[in-house]
Amino acid sequence: MCGVVQGVGFRPHVARTAATFAVTGWCGNDDESVFIEVQGTPAEVDAFADSVAADAPPLAHIVSVEWTELPPAAGEASFRIVPSERASGLPTLIPPDVAPCADCLAEMADPADRRYLYPFITCTNCGPRLSIIRDVPYDRPLTTLAAFPMCDACRAEYTDPTNRRYHAQPISCFDCGPRLWLQSPADAASASHLHPASRAAGLPATHGGEVLGEWGDAIVRGRGILAGGGILAVKGIGGFTVMANARDHAAVDRLRRRKHRPHKPFAVMAPDVATTRSFADLSPTQERVLTSPQRPIVLAPMAAGYDLAAGVAPGLGDVGVMLPSAPLHTLLVAPGEVVIATSANISGEPLIYRNRDAARDLAPIVDAVLTHDRPIHVPVEDSVLMADGEGATPIRRSRGYAPLPVRLGDGGGRVLAVGGELKNTFAMTRGGMAFLSAHIGDMGSLACQRAFERSVAQMSAMHREDVALVAADLHPGYATTAWAERYTEAHDLPLLQVQHHHAHALSLLAEHRAVGRRAAIAVFDGTGYGLDGNVWGGEILTFAADPMDWQRAWHLPPFALPGGDSAVQNPWKVAHAVLAAFTAHDDVPSLRAAASPAEVALVRSQLASGVGVVATTSAGRLFDAVAALLGVRHHVTYEAQAAMELERLARACSHEACAHVRFADVRELVGAIVDAIGGGARPSHGGSSASGRRPDAAARADGVAPACLARQFHAGLAGIAVDALVASARTSGAEVAGLTGGVFQNRLFTADCLARLADVGLPVLVHRVVPANDGGLALGQALAGWLHLAANRPGGGG
């Protein structure tokens, strides 16, 4: 049996199942599968096989089963688990890390249990997997638990087929497992050495810090630090998290200063669903996602009783919430409390996961470090999903989901897809499946590039098959593109460069198994290198049955982007560009305080001369421009800040008619907004008619005109996009439509588009497996590479 069948209790499950039938034989692991040899009457063997598949462990995922009939063997009297083998075939699927199960949590809370309050409790149904696996097959000697020999009590559980910890590789207890302690961060004088005498004396290796407490005392002291307004770093399953009291305004502000993170929202951790309901609105479906074994961060609307510090998610209407993903979190976060739970990293750098790095690099940020000595081999960030109606849409696919594959088809060669520059993930194909990495981060720093290279090497070692092709973005300035060029040259491999928005669309087709269907897909994002060398980002692509045969059927009207990347950080510049491109105005009151007269003069000069500008069709920049025009945000400190705050403003509009405005094109839409804020005719709350007339000159009925303008912008642009998408679909004979790209993580805009598409009668694909943002880009690149290899192999098409 192939699939996710190692590290999930599959062999114990097979053995327990065999005990309920009149069969004998054995089962074991090799690199690529669980192998089973079973003997009995045909009826008993068939019933056994059905039960093995139907009642598989909750974390198992069977991809394929191969059966071979063998002659009966003499001398078999029982069913047993045999030692693992190293096979010559391909390795098995690696399971993701998951949160503690209900059984383990119950034992951890039971004073009579020997693992009472044990922060590393686990069993075959839960706990660390990907983060501790050094190699396959998944056995303890090939994990980071190899350094912790089992005690007699743990070994008895490990070898008992009736026990829930039968062959649970991370099994441990207070007597034989990892050690927990609280320490101060390292100081500059002592952080450079490891104090070997501390280990010799039986003390934890603190890498320059002072031990403040161990085991239960460490947890109690850690709680005290949080309650007193302090900041704590905590080592979880896949890396360190920085925590602070989310209701303590001073603590949150202090964390922002120390992290140099003025506005970007923090995620929070609550101990249970009941506490979460006090500050976040979640549907029953979304609560199931929140409590799932994957334990993602769920972005949800703030509830009416929201009582967290204003600095948790400034300027926004959503809050990111998660439940404890490790037993240590459960012990640390007291009932009713809510703590900031943000990734422990220096701005722009990857997740910190080693003790020595935490002690040194987090010293300027945290007051103490709660850590342990179970090594993390593969760092894994928290996953993030967005509450979306009755479901959830992936924003970051990482812990709990990575490295589970997306099936592309049958067979095919090995492709390494290196992903994009922002929110990087990469992918490898094998056996017709694309295996996606955990979240790496933004590739602008050397540290992130090294983390990327290390992760590629780790996944390559796991899969044990030579790469046949590397796929990368078309952008010549991406660090991933440069890495792919160096790698292919060093290994004499072909490089396939895939246009950014083509890759986005392919990722959507791949996750829906829609390869081969004629499609029209809207790809709206911030930045992507176009075939013409300009910045694309408001595109509709149409596809023939061959997804490599595509056309740019429509795009937003282009406008000049002054100063390149600096415009991304300064939406006021984009606003001036949009004014110049689509209106007769050169200024509006809301922009006059955004920049100095000299700065404004420079931007106008660039726009007039065409020097220092690049043409763009970016939908993301159009959102930025409108946010600046409405006075929402002139400068940003994190990606999509202006657009997110604009969406929040739009949600404040209470006039239903604003959701149904229609405009003929972007020029008319932008012109109506500028006329309204620049002293000309203001729109009524009813907006324009369906015929495309501009709003009439009715005066404002109340003081919420900016919210109504923001709402009309969302609805108006959605109408323009959907009209173009439907027209492109009809012209190309598309069977399905699709929405992808980071702009479609705007719930309001996406809902407007879907509402208009509902009456068209065309199936619409949206992301449910990989993110619509650049975190899903590698899947599309992997599909392109896989199709390229298939078309060029002997007997292939194309």
Side-chain angles (χ1 to χ4, degrees), residues 4-262:
V4 181
V5 291
Q6 293 189 19
V8 295
F10 206 92
R11 289 176 298 170
H13 159 67
V14 173
R16 286 192 297 269
T17 303
T20 66
F21 294 94
V23 296
T24 60
W26 64 82
C27 69
N29 279 341
D30 61 24
D31 292 358
E32 58 179 337
S33 64
V34 165
F35 55 85
I36 305 169
E37 183 165 315
V38 61
Q39 182 168 294
T41 66
E44 286 290 298
V45 169
D46 287 346
F48 161 80
D50 290 343
S51 183
V52 165
D55 302 322
L59 302 182
H61 178 66
I62 299 172
V63 172
S64 62
V65 180
E66 294 183 10
W67 289 98
T68 303
E69 290 193 12
L70 300 172
E76 285 291 338
S78 63
F79 194 96
R80 66 191 191 279
I81 293 179
V82 298
S84 296
E85 298 178 357
R86 298 298 290 262
S88 58
L90 299 175
T92 186
L93 306 191
I94 298 169
D97 302 301
V98 291
C101 66
D103 289 333
C104 282
L105 290 176
E107 290 173 347
M108 190 174 72
D110 181 2
D113 194 275
R114 74 186 190 92
R115 292 187 176 87
Y116 176 54
L117 303 183
Y118 183 57
F120 309 108
I121 193 167
T122 184
C123 70
T124 54
N125 295 323
C126 68
R129 297 295 190 271
L130 170 65
S131 61
I132 63 170
I133 295 175
R134 297 184 186 276
D135 202 353
V136 291
Y138 175 62
D139 281 316
R140 193 179 183 94
L142 297 178
T143 72
T144 60
L145 271 294
F148 300 93
M150 282 181 270
C151 65
D152 290 343
C154 284
R155 185 162 294 281
E157 294 172 323
Y158 182 85
T159 55
D160 179 1
T162 66
N163 194 283
R164 199 176 79 255
R165 294 186 173 87
Y166 184 46
H167 281 230
Q169 306 306 331
I171 186 174
S172 65
C173 69
F174 284 106
D175 294 331
C176 64
R179 186 174 189 174
L180 178 74
W181 70 91
L182 181 73
Q183 69 170 77
S184 63
D187 58 56
S190 59
S192 61
H193 58 283
L194 304 184
H195 298 297
S198 296
R199 182 62 77 182
L203 299 175
T206 62
H207 303 277
E210 176 188 354
V211 175
L212 306 176
E214 296 187 67
W215 293 115
D217 182 50
I219 293 172
V220 170
R221 288 174 180 267
R223 279 186 174 184
I225 288 170
L226 293 173
I231 300 170
L232 185 67
V234 181
K235 187 177 182 180
I237 289 181
F240 282 86
T241 299
V242 172
M243 294 186 173
N245 186 340
R247 292 190 173 103
D248 186 329
H249 295 262
V252 175
D253 290 345
R254 190 179 306 115
L255 176 56
R256 287 205 174 276
R257 290 194 302 272
R258 291 182 183 181
K259 247 186 157 267
H260 305 291
R261 181 170 167 166

Side-chain angles (χ1 to χ4, degrees), residues 269-311:
M269 181 181 291
D272 49 49
V273 172
T275 303
T276 301
R277 290 177 184 142
S278 69
F279 63 86
D281 282 332
L282 289 162
S283 71
T285 300
Q286 292 153 1
E287 287 187 0
R288 285 195 291 274
V289 173
L290 187 71
T291 59
S292 68
Q294 290 79 18
R295 287 293 197 282
I297 297 169
V298 176
L299 302 179
M302 296 173 180
Y306 183 84
D307 63 348
L308 306 185

Side-chain angles (χ1 to χ4, degrees), residues 443-675:
M443 299 294 288
S445 73
L446 180 60
C448 274
Q449 292 169 28
R450 287 173 174 169
F452 167 85
E453 189 158 353
R454 182 174 59 249
S455 296
V456 168
Q458 288 171 336
M459 188 180 284
S460 296
M462 294 286 190
H463 287 282
R464 300 198 190 107
E465 188 179 84
D466 291 337
V467 170
L469 178 144
V470 177
D473 196 90
L474 196 64
H475 199 301
Y478 276 8
T480 47
T481 303
W483 186 91
E485 290 170 345
R486 295 192 303 270
Y487 187 88
T488 52
E489 183 176 355
H491 294 84
D492 193 24
L493 293 170
L495 173 63
L496 176 67
Q497 291 186 263
V498 186
Q499 198 279 325
H500 190 90
H501 301 93
H502 183 204
H504 270 304
L506 289 178
S507 75
L508 185 64
L509 293 173
E511 76 163 71
H512 284 278
R513 302 294 301 275
V515 174
R517 303 184 71 183
R518 301 181 71 90
I521 299 178
V523 191
F524 280 25
D525 64 359
T527 299
Y529 192 77
L531 296 179
D532 56 4
N534 292 322
V535 178
W536 292 5
E539 317 301 312
I540 292 176
L541 309 183
T542 55
F543 292 83
D546 176 3
M548 300 302 285
D549 181 5
W550 62 283
Q551 301 291 327
R552 187 191 192 197
W554 180 91
H555 56 78
L556 288 173
F559 56 94
L561 198 63
D565 287 345
S566 75
V568 177
Q569 306 302 320
N570 296 281
W572 69 268
K573 293 185 177 183
V574 190
H576 278 285
V578 166
L579 286 175
F582 302 134
T583 78
H585 297 264
D586 64 358
D587 192 19
V588 293
S590 58
L591 293 180
R592 288 169 191 162
S596 69
E599 290 175 304
V600 173
L602 175 61
V603 166
R604 287 175 176 168
S605 173
Q606 289 176 305
L607 293 171
S609 66
V611 176
V613 301
V614 60
T616 184
T617 57
S618 169
R621 299 292 79 81
L622 190 57
F623 274 83
D624 288 350
V626 172
L629 289 171
L630 294 181
V632 174
R633 176 64 56 180
H634 294 139
H635 309 274
V636 301
T637 61
Y638 64 90
E639 185 189 12
Q641 180 180 7
M644 292 165 66
E645 293 179 358
L646 181 67
E647 181 186 4
R648 185 196 184 189
L649 177 65
R651 290 184 179 278
C653 172
S654 59
H655 297 87
E656 179 64 23
C658 290
H660 301 287
V661 296
R662 300 297 296 267
F663 295 90
D665 54 31
V666 169
R667 181 179 296 276
E668 185 180 40
L669 170 60
V670 172
I673 293 172
V674 172
D675 283 350

Side-chain angles (χ1 to χ4, degrees), residues 360-384:
R360 179 191 65 231
D361 297 343
L362 297 179
I365 298 173
V366 304
D367 300 305
V369 180
L370 183 60
T371 189
H372 55 79
D373 57 359
R374 183 179 69 199
I376 295 170
H377 184 63
V378 179
V380 188
E381 285 264 24
D382 298 319
S383 291
V384 182

Side-chain angles (χ1 to χ4, degrees), residues 348-367:
E349 297 196 357
L351 178 66
I352 292 172
Y353 67 100
R354 296 187 181 104
N355 285 353
R356 65 175 180 268
D357 297 333
R360 179 191 65 231
D361 297 343
L362 297 179
I365 298 173
V366 304
D367 300 305

